Amino acid sequence: MSWQAYVDEHLMCDIEGQRLSAAAIIGHDGSVWAQSEPFPQLKPAEITGIMNDFAEPGSLAPTGLYLGGTKYMVIQGEPGAVIRGKKGSGGITIKKTNQALIFGVYDEPLTPGQCNMVVERLGDYLIEQGL
């Protein structure tokens, strides 16, 4: 299965009649493996900040998480494994695997829990596959 198919079929899938706003699979170095059409263009400093937060959980909390220039307030995640952010009625979930970051961006009526489930399930599967 191609990386794009993982994004299209597993991240941008139908969730009780809704779907994520955007999704991507990005290497730890910031290289884009696959992304949905409206996924924002990431800046190198944003990837660095995200990777630093996985290494030192909580480092993004004071400044916020930036994705394509958009700021998200960092909310409780799983230290070293998942970062969650909130902005208005939407938010973001980022799951770290051995080689990549799985991004899911959502807006209402999708719930944070639904976004977490989709992103983390794919991330857990990829970790099991050694990726």
Side-chain angles (χ1 to χ4, degrees), residues 24-85:
I25 301 173
I26 297 181
H28 289 180
D29 62 356
S31 60
V32 176
W33 294 9
Q35 66 183 29
S36 63
E37 187 59 42
F39 195 79
Q41 180 69 39
L42 292 175
K43 299 176 178 138
E46 294 172 341
I47 290 291
T48 300
I50 291 166
M51 290 304 293
N52 286 346
D53 194 81
F54 280 118
E56 298 173 34
S59 64
L60 282 178
T63 59
L65 162 68
Y66 285 86
L67 185 70
T70 299
K71 182 179 180 179
Y72 293 85
M73 178 178 67
V74 178
I75 56 176
Q76 182 179 4
E78 295 171 29
V82 179
I83 299 171
R84 297 186 182 108

Side-chain angles (χ1 to χ4, degrees), residues 10 14 16-18 22 24 33 52 62 65 69-70 74 77 81 92 95 111 115 121 127-130:
H10 295 279
D14 184 279
E16 297 175 23
Q18 306 300 320
W33 294 9
N52 286 346
L65 162 68
T70 299
V74 178
I92 185 168
K95 171 79 174 178
T111 67
C115 179
R121 188 170 33 187
I127 289 168
E128 288 171 12
Q129 301 306 307

